[in-house]
Amino acid sequence: MPSISVIIPVLNESGTILRCLEQFHGVPDTEVVVVDGGSTDGTQDLVADTGLTALVRSDRPGRAFQMNEGARESKGEILLFLHADTELPEGGLEMISSALEDPAVSGGRFRLGLDEEGWQYRLISKASTWRSSLLGITYGDQA
C-alpha cells in the first residue's frame, strides 16, 4: 500500500479530534498531519499528547490555508483531507489505495453517513452523496 498522508485542518476541535485520530493508531504507512489554525480550547495539547501525529501551526486560519500547509508538510504519496469529526468507513485506506491503482483515477470521495438518527439526517446524507456524484462537489466529511 502506498504511503498516505492524512491532513486534518482543525480549529477548536477538542471535542472531536481524539476520536478522529484513534482510527489511525497503529496503521502502517500512514502519516497524520494536523494543521491547527489557532485553537484556544486545548486542541493543540490533545494532538501533541497522542504522539501519533505531526502538529503544524498555521499562520492563517481557514481550512483552505490549513490544507495547503498540511500538503506542503506531508510526505505521503497520497493526500487524504479529512475533517476532525469524520471517521472513514471500515477498510477506507485500503479502498483509497486500491482505487488509485487505476491510472484513470486521480481522486475520489466516500458516501456521506451521519451518526444522528432520523429521516432528516438520512435525507441530508443521501442528498449530499447524490449532489457529489452528479456535480462533483464534495464535502470535507466525505474525505
Side-chain angles (χ1 to χ4, degrees):
M1 182 165 81
S3 62
I4 296 178
S5 291
V6 181
I7 300 164
I8 307 169
V10 297
L11 181 62
N12 295 326
E13 299 286 354
S14 64
T16 59
I17 191 62
L18 291 179
R19 184 172 174 186
C20 180
L21 295 177
E22 173 83 14
Q23 66 189 314
F24 303 109
H25 185 73
V27 178
D29 297 320
T30 303
E31 168 191 46
V32 180
V33 179
V34 175
V35 186
D36 190 86
S39 293
T40 58
D41 69 344
T43 297
Q44 294 176 8
D45 293 333
L46 289 172
V47 171
D49 289 347
T50 66
L52 294 173
T53 65
L55 175 61
V56 176
R57 289 174 175 86
S58 177
D59 293 337
R60 296 173 73 178
R63 282 194 176 128
F65 297 119
Q66 291 170 254
M67 290 187 297
N68 286 336
E69 184 70 25
R72 280 190 290 277
E73 295 290 325
S74 67
K75 296 168 183 61
E77 296 175 56
I78 298 169
L79 302 181
L80 169 63
F81 297 96
L82 195 66
H83 284 184
D85 63 350
T86 302
E87 293 180 51
L88 296 176
E90 183 82 26
L93 295 176
E94 292 82 9
M95 287 182 225
I96 292 167
S97 293
S98 177
L100 290 173
E101 287 176 5
D102 181 344
V105 174
S106 61
R109 47 99 183 99
F110 291 100
R111 290 185 186 103
L112 182 65
L114 300 172
D115 288 339
E116 291 83 358
E117 294 186 23
W119 67 267
Q120 307 94 318
Y121 298 107
R122 287 192 305 276
L123 179 62
I124 291 168
S125 178
K126 291 203 181 295
S128 65
T129 298
W130 175 81
R131 180 193 77 153
S132 180
S133 297
L134 184 67
L135 303 175
I137 299 170
T138 301
Y139 288 120
D141 295 353
Q142 291 175 278

